[in-house]
Amino acid sequence: MFLFHSILFLILTYECNSARIFSIFYVQSYSHNHLALTLLTELAERGHEVTLLTPFVPKDVVKNLKVIHMKFPPKSVDTQVNPFDVKKMTLFERIMFIEQYGLNEMEVVFNVTEVQTFLLENHHFDAVIFPQFVSEALRGFCYHFRAVCIGLSPVILNSMSGRPMGNPFHPSYIPNLFSPFSDRMNFFERFHNTIIVTAEMLFHHFYVLPRHNQLLQKHFPGAPHINDLYYNTSLMLVNTHVATNFPVPLVPNIIPIGGYHIRPLSKLSKALQDYLDDARDGAIYFSMGSYLNSADIPNDKLNAILNVFRKLKQKVLWKFNGNKLTNLPPNVKLGTWFPQQDILDHPNVKLFITHGGLLSTMEAIYHGVPVVAIPFFGDQEMNAANAENCGYAVVVSYEELTENTLQTAVDEVLINPKYGNIARRRSRIFHDEPMRPLDKAVFWIEYVIRHNGAPHLRTTALGLTWYQYLLLDMVLFIITVLFLFLFILKKLLAKLFRKNTTSKKTKLKTR
Ligand SMILES: *[C@@H]1O[C@H](CO)[C@@H](O)[C@H](O)[C@H]1NC(C)=O
Ligand SMILES: *[C@@H]1O[C@H](CO)[C@@H](O)[C@H](O)[C@H]1NC(C)=O
């Protein structure tokens, strides 16, 4: 009997503690993949059974994490994203471009053999974790497995991740993700932002969602309309932290977990350790991230960068892929890969020159290193504007990158102690938390699974029509009542006035 009870107990606790989690990440970028793997690995290590479909093949995978490789067809050259082209687009063109990219990728995802086979097999999952990044149709998996729907936003909170949760998104102080604005906008920036935020909302509602719905209905026959799934997301984990990004209001089922990808430090290799230890005048780390190849930077800009470095007494570590550098100054060391987080932690590193990617910016601030940002595309311009606004960075726009502008920016950050001080202050904010962001992410995932999707966290905003939400019906009602009141008042006064004058007239006559 005791044995029976023990076994029952074990089965029950196993049932409660271990969930089956399905995840699909499609964006072929290092940062998206890194963010997904960090979270899913942690979940697997805590005993959950995790299945991940991804176009990447990770090197080593923990025990409970099953990775299925989605073999995407090779991209034809003309459909490949060229960051230099995106840079030339207007803000609205960029939004259309990224939404269209998402729609195209969804077609590819649902068409790969691995996904189709998987959908035909008999699987059961308690939760689905998908990237909230122009990927609305992926919510079909939540419907297919009748599982709790959890989004992971690889970028900071924005209209894409806030809208399905009914989060307020006020254009007066929250800039569009692809804009070059921070949360402090002047009159014209606010005007631009208001137009863009409104246009993006209408475009998403009338163009993007219907197309995702077509995909959804095609690949998940019998699925409800996408709106019913889109506005039924149980949890949104967003890659935002107040140490690096401006504060915004959040509904209770949006959980900021910014910085969760930051791993415990490892020891630097002996060569790197010696190199940085010997940098008596300080060192600069320079990396344009994983998307932009240094080899793609045109010669004039490359020479400008080299000329600036040549004049510095600091040593420079440059993450460089390409082999067209001949006149390398002696204080510059190139490498195709560097352990970025460990380098940023070295006390001699005084400056990080970056493309302003979110993960890089977070790592810089986590380790208290000020930044010169050369933003390129996507959310980088907004991240950079925000970093400059916070006071830990100077921005050099890529178009204006010359020897002169770069020199001024680098000197400013190296000489003016303000930047380092603010970076270190923000680093202390980053570290001052009740729990690690990764623990927080895991807690909330388990929470919404435990509470069957946690509908109690959803705000009523999701059930209102747009005119109720914007109080337009109230405005209309109040204006109508006011006009009615004024109209009646006017009629009454007119009547009284007429009576008075007529009675006066009659008095005059009788005299
Ligand atoms: C789907 O895949 C097949 C081959 O597996 C290919 O011929 C077809 O063009 C693909 N369709 C789309 C929309 O990618
Ligand atoms: C909405 O989510 C809840 C909780 O995950 C689920 O029980 C419900 O079926 C979902 N509704 C729709 C229309 O998918």
Side-chain angles (χ1 to χ4, degrees):
M1 198 59 193
F2 172 75
L3 187 68
F4 174 74
H5 273 141
S6 322
I7 291 172
L8 193 67
F9 175 78
L10 275 178
I11 292 173
L12 283 179
T13 45
Y14 182 74
E15 284 275 305
C16 296
N17 292 334
S18 160
R20 278 159 295 192
I21 296 169
F22 173 82
S23 188
I24 181 162
F25 274 74
Y26 72 96
V27 179
Q28 299 181 57
S29 102
Y30 168 79
S31 52
H32 285 235
N33 187 57
H34 180 57
L35 287 169
L37 264 186
T38 306
L39 179 61
L40 299 174
T41 301
E42 181 74 16
L43 286 165
E45 279 178 343
R46 296 197 190 196
H48 300 295
E49 284 173 51
V50 186
T51 302
L52 167 67
L53 267 69
T54 169
F56 282 89
V57 199
K59 267 191 242 109
D60 30 34
V61 174
V62 295
K63 194 173 120 246
N64 284 340
L65 177 60
K66 184 173 159 207
V67 177
I68 297 173
H69 182 204
M70 291 194 281
K71 291 181 201 77
F72 281 5
K75 282 209 162 120
S76 59
V77 179
D78 52 305
T79 57
Q80 257 166 24
V81 187
N82 180 353
F84 289 89
D85 291 341
V86 180
K87 194 109 183 73
K88 288 191 212 112
M89 296 178 186
T90 66
L91 196 42
F92 193 67
E93 280 171 341
R94 284 185 209 188
I95 293 171
M96 292 198 301
F97 170 82
I98 202 86
E99 290 285 11
Q100 193 56 53
Y101 159 81
L103 282 164
N104 298 345
E105 289 297 292
M106 288 304 105
E107 298 245 13
V108 177
V109 166
F110 291 128
N111 197 32
V112 294
T113 327
E114 292 78 18
V115 172
Q116 295 192 336
T117 332
F118 197 83
L119 283 174
L120 289 177
E121 291 162 5
N122 190 18
H123 294 284
H124 179 86
F125 291 102
D126 303 303
V128 170
I129 301 179
F130 64 94
Q132 176 61 57
F133 192 77
V134 290
S135 58
E136 278 67 359
L138 289 184
R139 283 176 173 80
F141 289 102
C142 310
Y143 161 76
H144 183 81
F145 297 122
R146 307 294 193 274
V148 170
C149 220
I150 299 170
L152 171 63
S153 167
V155 289
I156 72 162
L157 182 82
N158 60 84
S159 53
M160 296 193 283
S161 45
R163 190 181 294 125
M165 318 307 284
N167 199 62
F169 192 89
H170 209 303
S172 62
Y173 66 102
I174 308 183
N176 176 275
L177 185 66
F178 302 109
S179 76
F181 309 140
S182 79
D183 58 337
R184 256 163 252 245
M185 291 173 267
N186 64 30
F187 181 86
F188 296 102
E189 289 170 343
R190 252 183 311 127
F191 175 72
H192 194 171
N193 195 48
T194 308
I195 300 292
I196 281 296
V197 165
T198 312
E200 189 264 346
M201 186 176 70
L202 296 173
F203 176 64
H204 188 265
H205 186 78
F206 289 109
Y207 181 88
V208 179
L209 269 185
R211 273 151 192 83
H212 278 285
N213 189 47
Q214 280 169 5
L215 282 165
L216 179 79
Q217 302 304 333
K218 182 170 159 205
H219 296 284
F220 300 93
H225 189 272
I226 193 134
N227 282 348
D228 295 337
L229 298 174
Y230 184 66
Y231 294 109
N232 194 35
T233 313
S234 290
L235 175 67
M236 188 62 69
L237 301 166
V238 292
N239 197 12
T240 302
H241 198 290
V242 285
T244 48
N245 302 99
F246 46 79
V248 289
L250 297 174
V251 294
N253 46 4
I254 293 184
I255 304 294
I257 55 165
Y260 81 93
H261 77 284
I262 295 174
R263 54 169 173 75
L265 291 172
S266 322
K267 246 174 93 80
L268 286 169
S269 71
K270 172 125 184 24
L272 274 177
Q273 184 74 42
D274 290 348
Y275 184 81
L276 289 174
D277 285 348
D278 288 345
R280 304 250 175 272
D281 292 306
I284 295 171
Y285 179 58
F286 179 26
S287 164
M288 289 298 272
S290 49
Y291 217 100
L292 186 69
N293 269 329
S294 324
D296 294 337
I297 303 176
N299 271 328
D300 56 327
K301 295 206 190 293
L302 219 46
N303 284 332
I305 294 169
L306 285 172
N307 287 345
V308 171
F309 289 167
R310 188 167 287 120
K311 281 180 269 171
L312 291 171
K313 48 187 200 300
Q314 284 82 7
K315 290 185 170 184
V316 180
L317 281 179
W318 184 351
K319 178 173 177 284
F320 189 91
N321 4 44
N323 50 359
K324 60 176 189 183
L325 284 193
T326 43
N327 49 348
L328 200 66
N331 61 333
V332 178
K333 185 182 165 79
L334 303 182
T336 48
W337 184 85
F338 285 116
Q340 177 162 307
Q341 297 185 26
D342 306 323
I343 286 176
L344 290 173
D345 194 60
H346 195 284
N348 284 350
V349 174
K350 301 291 182 220
L351 166 65
F352 181 17
I353 306 178
T354 162
H355 61 317
L358 183 57
L359 302 193
S360 287
T361 309
M362 282 181 167
E363 288 165 18
I365 292 314
Y366 190 82
H367 296 292
V369 179
V371 163
V372 165
I374 310 173
F376 213 84
F377 105 134
D379 59 344
Q380 291 159 11
E381 283 183 80
M382 193 190 64
N383 291 336
N386 170 62
E388 190 167 60
N389 182 44
C390 289
Y392 59 79
V394 171
V395 179
V396 180
S397 89
Y398 181 79
E399 291 83 8
E400 288 162 17
L401 177 67
T402 59
E403 185 173 340
N404 213 342
T405 53
L406 185 63
Q407 180 85 57
T408 316
V410 168
D411 285 350
E412 170 73 5
V413 178
L414 286 176
I415 294 164
N416 189 338
K418 173 192 122 173
Y419 298 92
N421 290 340
I422 293 179
R424 282 184 290 277
R425 191 164 75 225
R426 293 220 161 230
S427 171
R428 288 195 294 277
I429 297 170
F430 217 142
H431 286 82
D432 197 352
E433 286 215 287
M435 66 202 290
R436 285 193 318 149
L438 192 52
D439 292 333
K440 194 158 73 168
V442 172
F443 171 84
W444 283 100
I445 289 169
E446 291 175 348
Y447 179 95
V448 293
I449 294 174
R450 264 199 307 276
H451 297 281
N452 302 320
H456 59 276
L457 295 180
R458 291 152 50 82
T459 77
T460 319
L462 291 165
L464 299 177
T465 61
W466 60 275
Y467 55 84
Q468 286 173 330
Y469 179 79
L470 293 175
L471 285 176
L472 294 184
D473 52 346
M474 287 302 110
V475 173
L476 194 68
F477 177 72
I478 290 167
I479 289 177
T480 313
V481 169
L482 213 65
F483 266 102
L484 223 61
F485 175 75
L486 287 178
F487 180 74
I488 293 170
L489 196 70
K490 188 175 160 229
K491 279 270 162 207
L492 273 177
L493 285 178
K495 217 172 200 173
L496 271 177
F497 190 66
R498 217 178 303 131
K499 224 182 230 163
N500 270 349
T501 42
T502 41
S503 56
K504 263 185 202 157
K505 270 183 202 154
T506 40
K507 261 185 204 161
L508 275 176
K509 261 188 199 162
T510 49
R511 238 206 268 156

